Amino acid sequence: MNKPETLYMIIPCCNEEAVLRETARQLKNKYTSLIDRELISPESRIVFVNDGSWDQTWQIIRELHEKNPDFFSGLCLSRNCGHQNAVLAGLMTVKDICGVTITMDADLQDDINAIDEMLNRYYEGNEVVYGVRSTRKTDTFFKKFTAEAFYKFMKAMGADVVYNHADFRLMSRRVLQELAEFKEVNLFLRGMVPLIGFKSCSVYYERRERFAGESKYPLRKMLSFAVNGITSFSTKPLKLITTLGFIMSILSIIAFIWSFAVKITGLSVLGWSSTICSIWLIGGLQLFCLGIIGEYVGKIYAEVKRRPRFIVEEFLSDVGAEFINGEKDSDHA
Ligand code: UDP
Ligand code: MG
């Protein structure tokens, strides 16, 4: 590991006009101090990835780049591809020009002062450094409860993720080269990065409230994110269906014996309610199980098509842009 290393930060932005200038200001100060202390090289850049915003986000990014090309770069995707794809787009764009990367949200919820410690950990030989929230003091009870349930449920379902770690993480260039070999369309970076391996560690920080603007992850999106995480990393739900089917078969044998016993004792006139209940129960269970299988089939469908995970419209950068554009066709699809 060279010291000082070239750090590229990847910041996904979807409609972040309310916070972007403040984020840029704070990050620029951080970079200046890191460069002064020779923790990162002066070639280091901050890359804002515009994920199909429909507000002033891209104009602001362009302006930041024009004023300070030696700090800010911009990557514009052709449309909204989602948070995970936007992060990947940024990482894949810089994978050959950076020494190390840190991904972070644009809303300043992650503590930028944790960057120093992340870099120190990197220089100690860690290829991946996970930013982990130590407390959730500022989250509402509901957010805290749903988020913690999310990690526990993920683990129970066989998708092992780092507890309380979102997408604030440092990855070395070497890890990025390996990440480029993961061709899946259904992205869940938190599950993928631990699979890459290498020496890793965690850095703890306090997560704050959003600086401004609104969360783009309401409960509905969180739920679909959880389902995506589980079905991308584990076939445990499919195994649970088999277990459930087995239990139901045993129960039905018991029910059969019971009904037979009732019949021979002459008490065969039973109410229809029990029949109706079991029909509804079995029907519901079957539909639920079919739904789980459908989730996997749907994923296979998306995977076999191999559509591009993101399309880059423009890359604003004072270094490496020609290089990136030259490789665009083969590498960025
Ligand atoms: N984001 C994105 N594309 C999307 C949704 C979100 O790039 O389709 C970005 C967003 O701009 C932010 C980060 O992903 O930088 C996390 O989003 P948010 O803060 O809304 O999620 P939360 O922290 O509430 O879970
Ligand atoms: Mg946020």
Side-chain angles (χ1 to χ4, degrees):
M1 277 153 207
N2 315 320
K3 198 172 177 185
E5 192 71 273
T6 305
L7 168 68
Y8 268 79
M9 282 197 69
I10 306 296
I11 320 282
C13 311
C14 176
N15 296 340
E16 297 289 5
E17 62 180 9
V19 299
L20 209 51
R21 286 182 211 277
E22 177 61 21
T23 309
R25 188 187 68 79
Q26 293 195 15
L27 281 176
K28 189 173 166 227
N29 290 344
K30 178 93 270 170
Y31 261 51
T32 314
S33 119
L34 291 171
I35 293 170
D36 287 349
R37 284 180 287 144
E38 298 199 339
L39 270 171
I40 60 172
S41 79
E43 286 76 45
S44 301
R45 297 285 179 275
I46 298 153
V47 184
F48 291 109
V49 182
N50 174 35
D51 185 22
S53 306
W54 50 94
D55 64 359
Q56 293 296 304
T57 300
W58 182 240
Q59 283 82 337
I60 298 173
I61 297 174
R62 193 182 275 285
E63 194 185 297
L64 287 167
H65 168 71
E66 277 159 14
K67 278 195 194 145
N68 291 104
D70 48 344
F71 279 101
F72 303 115
S73 294
L75 185 73
C76 187
L77 303 186
S78 60
R79 64 176 177 87
N80 179 267
C81 300
H83 176 212
Q84 300 285 297
N85 294 287
V87 171
L88 187 79
L91 292 173
M92 292 301 109
T93 304
V94 304
K95 76 178 190 331
D96 297 314
I97 48 176
C98 70
V100 60
T101 57
I102 294 181
T103 52
M104 193 182 94
D105 290 351
D107 55 10
L108 296 173
Q109 280 192 286
D110 304 318
D111 183 6
I112 60 169
N113 293 317
I115 294 173
D116 305 49
E117 204 187 330
M118 283 181 154
L119 285 167
N120 286 330
R121 291 307 181 86
Y122 167 74
Y123 289 124
E124 282 164 25
N126 291 289
E127 303 276 347
V128 182
V129 184
Y130 299 101
V132 175
R133 286 166 223 174
S134 50
T135 53
R136 282 180 172 269
K137 268 188 241 152
T138 53
D139 280 354
T140 59
F141 173 76
F142 185 70
K143 176 90 192 179
K144 192 168 155 171
F145 179 77
T146 48
E148 287 190 351
F150 168 85
Y151 292 102
K152 290 194 178 133
F153 186 60
M154 294 286 298
K155 205 170 176 107
M157 282 292 149
D160 212 356
V161 289
V162 178
Y163 191 69
N164 264 343
H165 157 71
D167 284 298
F168 186 27
R169 96 171 69 72
L170 174 147
M171 281 184 278
S172 69
R173 179 185 178 128
R174 184 164 172 208
V175 169
L176 291 187
Q177 305 299 328
E178 301 305 332
L179 183 66
E181 298 303 315
F182 284 63
K183 305 288 184 197
E184 60 222 73
V185 178
N186 294 286
L187 280 183
F188 189 66
L189 290 167
R190 285 180 225 187
M192 288 158 75
V193 177
L195 289 181
I196 299 175
F198 295 121
K199 194 170 174 220
S200 66
C201 68
S202 298
V203 158
Y204 296 86
Y205 70 98
E206 249 177 60
R207 187 152 158 108
R208 309 204 185 122
E209 271 177 76
R210 215 174 208 288
F211 183 77
E214 275 175 13
S215 169
K216 276 102 204 158
Y217 273 99
L219 184 65
R220 184 180 54 80
K221 267 204 182 170
M222 280 253 297
L223 282 178
S224 81
F225 192 57
V227 170
N228 187 21
I230 293 162
T231 52
S232 288
F233 281 87
S234 155
T235 47
K236 212 166 175 175
L238 292 176
K239 292 188 189 117
L240 283 179
I241 294 180
T242 319
T243 317
L244 195 66
F246 181 73
I247 295 170
M248 291 308 288
S249 319
I250 304 276
L251 287 180
S252 70
I253 293 171
I254 296 170
F256 178 78
I257 297 170
W258 173 64
S259 65
F260 194 69
V262 169
K263 194 164 175 70
I264 49 174
T265 50
L267 296 164
S268 58
V269 193
L270 283 168
W272 61 276
S273 42
S274 52
T275 322
I276 291 292
C277 287
S278 48
I279 289 174
W280 280 91
L281 179 72
I282 307 266
L285 265 179
Q286 282 180 332
L287 280 182
F288 176 67
C289 295
L290 263 180
I292 293 181
I293 296 169
E295 277 289 324
Y296 283 92
V297 176
K299 286 223 148 154
I300 299 167
Y301 176 69
E303 294 295 341
V304 293
K305 280 191 290 196
R306 291 247 152 270
R307 286 191 179 152
R309 295 175 286 186
F310 54 84
I311 294 171
V312 174
E313 189 174 315
E314 199 175 350
F315 182 44
L316 300 177
S317 171
D318 61 335
V319 272
E322 326 74 45
F323 176 63
I324 303 291
N325 292 334
E327 285 218 338
K328 202 170 178 177
D329 293 340
S330 59
D331 247 58
H332 296 271

